[in-house]
Amino acid sequence: MKRHIIIFMLCLVLLGASAQQNKFNPQRFQAALEQHITREAKLTQKEAADFFPIYKELQAKQRALFQQAGRARWRKPATEAECRSAIEKQDNVDIQIKKLQKQYHQKFLKVISASKLYDVIKAEDQFHRQSIRKFTERMNSQRQRNHQSQPHR
């Protein structure tokens, strides 16, 4: 669970950074994600038409929770009490996210089979991992180009 949250949050952060440097297109990213999920989970047109509106609802709710959690993640609080409070808040957000996922898994099971939902979950994770890998490779090659273009002293 935590791994999925961390991957998703990392993906959001990386994509946000990418948006500033490489003109990230959220619609194109979403379309690629949906295409990947549809292909990997072998969803029919009807299944995809029924599934993705619910999936988008879940994504919007998760994004709000990730943003709520993300505000506190980047700066270490100054005191022990503030650190404890930040940890507790993050734990509560993690629990909310897991409950939300469970709730939506039940909704998904009304429109697709359990085996297809399993494949959807796997495909989503795979897509985010591939996106992070591509982003990292692109950033590394960009750093190398920048390093090579700087005059040696």
Side-chain angles (χ1 to χ4, degrees):
M1 164 55 192
K2 285 218 182 232
R3 190 184 82 210
H4 290 280
I5 292 171
I6 291 169
I7 288 171
F8 190 75
M9 289 187 70
L10 182 59
C11 206
L12 288 176
V13 169
L14 291 174
L15 293 173
S18 175
Q20 295 172 353
Q21 295 181 1
N22 297 321
K23 300 195 185 210
F24 173 71
N25 183 328
Q27 292 82 14
R28 190 171 53 215
F29 180 83
Q30 184 68 29
L33 172 61
E34 289 179 20
Q35 183 180 29
H36 181 80
I37 288 172
T38 301
R39 183 180 59 250
E40 294 299 315
K42 297 176 179 68
L43 299 179
T44 65
Q45 282 186 323
K46 177 166 180 14
E47 287 170 331
D50 292 343
F51 173 78
F52 282 111
I54 301 168
Y55 180 78
K56 288 177 184 177
E57 271 180 38
L58 171 61
Q59 284 184 313
K61 290 178 180 181
Q62 283 179 323
R63 198 170 6 264
L65 288 171
F66 289 138
Q67 287 172 348
Q68 178 185 338
R71 290 184 198 115
R73 258 189 221 268
W74 302 112
R75 259 188 315 207
K76 182 176 179 180
T79 67
E80 282 296 310
E82 289 171 343
C83 285
R84 179 180 299 276
S85 176
I87 291 167
E88 289 171 359
K89 284 179 186 176
Q90 183 58 53
D91 288 345
N92 288 333
V93 169
D94 290 345
I95 291 167
Q96 286 179 306
I97 290 168
K98 196 60 186 165
K99 284 180 179 178
L100 187 64
Q101 287 175 337
K102 184 176 181 179
Q103 175 188 353
Y104 273 83
H105 287 168
Q106 295 305 311
K107 289 182 180 188
F108 295 148
L109 289 170
K110 292 177 182 175
V111 296
I112 61 174
S113 68
S115 63
K116 286 195 177 187
L117 178 55
Y118 183 88
D119 291 341
V120 164
I121 294 167
K122 251 178 65 178
E124 180 186 32
D125 188 50
Q126 180 186 45
F127 183 84
H128 288 301
R129 288 177 185 276
Q130 288 173 352
S131 297
I132 292 168
R133 192 176 319 114
K134 287 177 187 175
F135 175 80
T136 303
E137 289 169 0
R138 205 169 42 243
M139 296 310 294
N140 287 338
S141 66
Q142 185 176 350
R143 266 192 227 112
Q144 287 176 346
R145 282 194 306 274
N146 289 343
H147 181 71
Q148 291 171 352
S149 67
Q150 292 176 351
H152 296 298
R153 295 180 188 193

